[in-house]
């Protein structure tokens, strides 16, 4: 029987509700429980797949190919038993879509369809579906208490509290406790008001997690407890941590997991947080420090590449390397050249859509290839590497992806419908692509060439990784590119290019899939560990970085 922990947020957004939820999941898992995690998002988009990274940050792709909120990435990085998927992220849009479809089918037998009970029932059913058979399901409600949009979700979780009872439901509320520097005072009023708002819709929080710059003094904790009707020890101080991975320990020290366990009447073994401690220790004691350039667009919005940034850091943890990431707009490379890459020990071109800065990315690949700088290309970062090799190694002038130039003389990357092949499997995909350029989404099996850098990094030749893209390397050019020095080291079951390498380069590997979605701090990921290892070697050899540009 699954118990539920609902996490709401108050006062302001961006307090780190996703991280808090993920960390609570991590501690509870460290006490032997299985965990499922759900995010409820109050916006009306059916899923975040079509939302701009500018507004919404990264779209996280789950194993089953669902395009989800980036918080699901936090969940998977922190909690091993939480396998995100189609039933782990529900938006208002998706809930309404389902209710309206039922209404059209006549499922409601002529009843007037209303927010209560129809929408709230749909939310409750969705939560139960997403919970699966985990011991505890953590449900994070997006937005801030007081928003109009989140009301149906709050009403649904209120009902669940009544229906399941106090020993199966815990309400956690995350708030901000600001420090006013002009008067040197810590202010508890916003928290009081936020809880008041929550109580006015029938939810009495059991636990408050208070975000503040410094640890909250006892006096303020007492005051908050008194004014919010929450037990004093259940006012947890989540002060700013210099390292994300210290948070599970910080919360555990204050007894957060004990409070949850007591309320849910669970008799649990002690928390084993040794893996988290080892991560913090590794991060604090690096034996080398490197600079990695990430060249893409949206570079001033780090949330757009959050999984990739994390995965690079995981590579650092597992090689004891401090990884300093330099975010570089590929447009700047177009305008000012590759000089800004001169101090870099490694280069990453991440995934992306749209042609902005594309030539800058191609130039970046050329620079990495010609100067023997470790290169990791992800998705679009692989496609630009293929274009670069076509132009500069195979002499295919004007080679391009048809995503950016429909009339290129050499469409080395294109929609499958745009290149002719004879295999049945591809024809099947052709049909899908015609239905509006269907994305290849989610985990698929990949075969790696024996002895390739990819196979050596993974330590095996069959892997499974996640995808999110439309365009593919044009198989008609494969032979020509291979002769020019490109190695197609990974192929999908239906013979699509999944990974490329340049064998006569110290470390040059790019993938059509997104390895960053399966990296986590405790295990790391073979490609990121391999890449950072190479970056480190490049740094330590102190080779002349590059001839004067
Ligand atoms: N725009 C490219 C495609 O659709 C790459 C996508 C990506 O990098 N995620 O194939």
């Amino acid at each position: 029987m699954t118990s539920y922990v609902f996490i709401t947020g108050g006062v302001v957004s961006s307090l780190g509700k996703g991280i808090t939820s993920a960390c609570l999941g991590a501690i509870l898992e460290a006490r032997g429980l299985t965990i499922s995690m759900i995010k409820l998002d109050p916006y009306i988009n059916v899923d975040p797949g079509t939302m701009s990274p500018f507004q919404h940050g990264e779209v996280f792709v789950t194993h089953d190919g669902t395009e989800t909120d980036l918080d699901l990435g936090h969940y998977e990085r922190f909690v091993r038993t939480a396998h995100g998927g189609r039933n782990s992220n529900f938006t208002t849009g998706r809930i309404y879509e389902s209710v309206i479809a039922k209404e059209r089918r006549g499922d409601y037998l002529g009843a007037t369809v209303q927010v209560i009970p129809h929408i709230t029932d749909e939310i409750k059913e969705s939560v139960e579906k997403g919970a699966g058979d985990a011991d505890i399901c953590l449900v994070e409600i997006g937005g801030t208490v007081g928003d109009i949009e989140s009301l149906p979700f709050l009403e649904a979780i209120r009902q669940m509290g009544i229906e399941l009872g106090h020993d199966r439901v815990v309400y956690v509320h995350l708030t901000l406790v600001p420090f006013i520097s002009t008067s040197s005072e810590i202010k508890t009023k916003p928290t009081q008001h936020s809880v008041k708002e929550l109580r006015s819709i029938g939810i009495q929080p059991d636990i408050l997690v208070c975000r503040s710059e410094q640890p909250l003094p006892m006096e303020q904790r007492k005051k908050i407890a008194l004014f919010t009707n929450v037990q004093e020890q259940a006012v947890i101080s989540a002060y700013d941590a210099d390292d994300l991975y210290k948070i599970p320990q910080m919360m555990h020290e204050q007894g957060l997991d004990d409070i949850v366990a007591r309320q849910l009447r669970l008799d649990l073994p002690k928390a084993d947080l040794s893996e988290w401690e080892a991560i913090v220790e590794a991060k604090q004691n690096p034996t080398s420090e490197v600079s990695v350039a990430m060249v893409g667009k949206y570079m001033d919005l780090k949330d757009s590449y959050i999984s990739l940034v994390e995965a690079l850091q995981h590579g650092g943890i597992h090689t004891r390397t401090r990884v300093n990431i330099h975010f570089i707009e590929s447009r700047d490379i177009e305008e000012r050249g590759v000089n800004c890459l001169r101090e870099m020990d490694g280069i990453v071109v991440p995934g992306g859509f749209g042609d902005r800065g594309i030539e800058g990315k191609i130039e970046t690949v050329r620079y990495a290839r010609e100067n023997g700088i470790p290169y990791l290309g992800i998705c679009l970062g692989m496609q630009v590497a293929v274009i670069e090799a076509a132009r500069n190694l195979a002499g295919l002038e004007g080679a391009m992806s048809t995503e950016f130039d429909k009339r290129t003389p050499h469409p080395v990357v294109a929609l499958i419908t745009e290149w002719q092949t004879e295999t049945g499997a591809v024809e099947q995909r052709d049909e899908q692509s015609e239905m509006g350029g269907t994305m290849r989404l989610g985990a698929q099996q990949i075969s790696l060439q024996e002895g390739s850098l990819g196979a050596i990094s993974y330590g095996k030749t069959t892997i499974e990784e996640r995808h999110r893209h439309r365009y593919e390397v044009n198989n008609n050019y494969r032979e020509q590119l291979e002769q020019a020095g490109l190695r197609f080291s990974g192929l999908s079951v239906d013979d699509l290019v999944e990974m490329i390498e340049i064998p006569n380069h110290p470390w040059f590997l790019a993938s059509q899939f997104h390895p960053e979605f399966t990296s986590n701090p405790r295990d790391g990921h073979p490609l990121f560990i391999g890449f950072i290892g190479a970056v480190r070697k490049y740094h330590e050899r102190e080779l002349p970085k590059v001839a004067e540009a």
Side-chain angles (χ1 to χ4, degrees):
M1 222 169 36
T2 305
S3 295
Y4 293 87
V5 177
F6 294 109
I7 300 113
T8 55
V11 186
V12 291
S13 59
S14 304
L15 287 179
K17 209 167 353 130
I19 297 277
T20 306
S21 307
C23 289
L24 177 55
I27 320 171
L28 292 171
E29 190 174 66
R31 298 194 67 166
L33 296 169
T34 55
I35 308 292
S36 52
M37 307 216 39
I38 300 175
K39 174 90 192 275
L40 301 177
D41 275 312
Y43 50 77
I44 295 170
N45 307 62
V46 174
D47 66 44
T50 52
M51 289 168 85
S52 158
F54 265 131
Q55 294 205 4
H56 198 260
E58 168 185 287
V59 173
F60 184 79
V61 180
T62 54
H63 185 87
D64 67 1
T66 311
E67 299 176 282
T68 68
D69 184 82
L70 58 79
D71 277 325
L72 272 84
H74 293 311
Y75 304 163
E76 290 200 6
R77 287 188 282 274
F78 275 88
V79 187
R80 284 203 182 104
T81 50
H83 304 295
R86 188 169 158 67
N87 293 326
S88 310
N89 190 191
F90 294 93
T91 66
T92 295
R94 189 159 155 212
I95 298 288
Y96 271 80
E97 188 183 47
S98 169
V99 168
I100 291 168
K102 284 182 185 171
E103 188 274 333
R104 294 289 84 186
R105 275 203 313 263
D107 290 6
Y108 297 117
L109 306 173
T112 308
V113 181
Q114 293 175 301
V115 173
I116 305 172
H118 301 96
I119 295 293
T120 49
D121 279 354
E122 186 70 31
I123 295 170
K124 289 190 287 183
E125 277 165 33
S126 303
V127 167
E128 274 158 23
K129 246 191 286 173
D133 53 9
D135 297 323
I136 298 193
C137 176
L138 270 62
V139 185
E140 177 191 346
I141 292 93
T144 307
V145 168
D147 296 345
I148 292 176
E149 288 91 344
S150 54
L151 274 175
F153 288 116
L154 297 174
E155 168 59 17
I157 67 166
R158 181 198 69 76
Q159 292 174 19
M160 284 185 78
I162 295 293
E163 287 159 9
L164 299 172
H166 197 59
D167 54 2
R168 278 191 59 202
V169 171
V170 178
Y171 295 107
V172 178
H173 188 54
L174 182 72
T175 72
L176 175 71
V177 181
F179 176 73
I180 309 293
S181 56
T182 43
S183 59
S184 282
E185 275 181 301
I186 296 167
K187 291 296 185 189
T188 65
K189 194 74 91 192
T191 298
Q192 295 177 36
H193 277 290
S194 181
V195 174
K196 200 169 147 193
E197 182 88 32
L198 199 56
R199 292 173 71 186
S200 76
I201 49 180
I203 297 172
Q204 165 65 52
D206 302 296
I207 297 169
L208 294 179
V209 177
C210 302
R211 293 280 294 109
S212 56
E213 281 172 37
Q214 298 293 329
L216 214 54
M218 213 50 222
E219 190 193 334
Q220 267 75 24
R221 286 174 78 160
K222 273 201 174 98
K223 189 170 170 189
I224 290 172
L226 187 65
F227 280 92
T228 59
N229 201 28
V230 170
Q231 286 182 0
E232 206 175 292
Q233 76 268 24
V235 178
I236 307 290
S237 168
Y239 48 91
D240 288 352
D242 57 358
D243 189 333
L244 209 60
Y245 305 113
K246 287 184 179 168
I247 301 173
Q249 185 66 33
M250 174 209 286
M251 292 186 160
H252 172 64
E253 274 165 11
Q254 296 180 60
L256 178 61
D257 45 315
D258 279 333
I259 300 165
V260 172
R262 211 177 310 129
Q263 183 167 331
L264 300 178
R265 299 178 201 272
L266 298 169
D267 188 17
L268 303 174
K270 273 200 162 98
D272 176 9
L273 294 177
S274 54
E275 283 181 300
W276 297 105
E277 284 155 20
I279 291 169
V280 173
E281 199 274 325
K283 282 193 81 178
Q284 278 171 348
N285 302 294
T287 51
S288 187
E289 185 166 352
V290 298
S291 293
V292 172
M294 183 126 107
V295 182
K297 63 178 186 179
Y298 306 128
M299 278 306 149
D300 41 8
L301 239 166
K302 313 291 178 295
D303 266 4
S304 319
Y305 302 103
I306 189 161
S307 291
L308 184 50
V309 168
E310 285 296 315
L312 288 165
Q313 298 299 348
H314 304 158
I317 291 167
H318 289 268
T319 53
R320 293 221 167 225
T321 310
R322 177 164 294 145
V323 180
N324 300 313
I325 303 175
H326 302 254
F327 298 90
I328 297 171
E329 279 287 334
S330 50
R331 270 258 175 102
D332 291 350
I333 296 202
E334 288 172 6
E335 282 159 22
R336 293 194 278 276
V338 290
N339 256 337
C340 56
L341 299 173
R342 286 180 59 198
E343 296 303 313
M344 299 298 149
D345 306 308
I347 294 174
V348 178
V349 174
F353 295 83
D355 63 355
R356 201 182 79 193
I358 198 75
E359 290 297 334
K361 291 178 193 175
I362 297 169
E363 234 0 76
T364 300
V365 177
R366 177 181 193 152
Y367 176 84
R369 181 178 59 76
E370 289 181 345
N371 294 286
I373 303 168
Y375 176 79
L376 177 63
I378 312 277
C379 209
L380 182 60
M382 184 194 90
Q383 297 174 356
V384 289
V386 170
I387 296 166
E388 196 278 325
R391 288 184 187 178
N392 303 320
L393 288 177
L396 300 170
E397 214 174 298
M400 198 37 148
S401 163
T402 56
E403 182 180 10
F404 313 120
D405 179 6
K406 285 274 169 242
R407 284 198 291 267
T408 167
H410 296 293
V412 289
V413 176
L415 293 176
I416 297 170
T417 40
E418 293 168 331
W419 43 272
Q420 304 286 312
T421 83
E422 263 119 53
T423 76
V426 172
E427 273 163 30
Q428 216 177 10
R429 279 243 177 90
D430 275 1
E431 281 165 33
Q432 285 180 3
S433 306
E434 270 158 20
M435 290 161 22
T438 312
M439 283 246 206
R440 185 140 78 102
L441 280 167
Q444 281 166 24
Q445 199 180 307
I446 297 151
S447 301
L448 300 178
Q449 211 177 72
E450 199 93 46
S452 63
L453 182 56
I456 294 166
S457 306
Y458 278 93
K460 54 186 174 187
T461 51
T462 303
I463 58 164
E464 217 179 46
E465 291 282 9
R466 301 180 193 174
H467 299 73
R468 183 175 187 250
H469 67 106
R470 285 197 180 88
Y471 291 80
E472 306 282 354
V473 171
N474 184 341
N475 277 349
N476 298 327
Y477 283 95
R478 244 161 71 184
E479 218 180 287
Q480 217 174 335
L481 291 170
E482 223 151 21
Q483 275 161 11
L486 214 57
R487 180 179 199 169
F488 295 99
S489 57
L491 295 173
S492 71
V493 178
D494 43 5
D495 200 37
L496 295 169
V497 173
E498 289 276 10
M499 190 188 278
I500 62 153
E501 296 174 19
I502 293 187
N504 66 350
H505 183 286
W507 208 96
F508 191 108
L509 186 152
S511 66
Q512 186 61 77
F513 55 82
H514 288 269
E516 71 272 26
F517 291 143
T518 49
S519 179
N520 72 66
R522 285 182 285 180
D523 305 316
H525 184 289
L527 286 189
F528 291 97
I529 295 174
F531 174 63
I532 297 298
V535 169
R536 203 183 143 123
K537 272 197 200 130
Y538 181 85
H539 178 80
E540 279 161 10
R541 259 190 283 149
E542 288 178 345
L543 295 172
K545 299 271 163 59
V546 56
E548 284 301 313

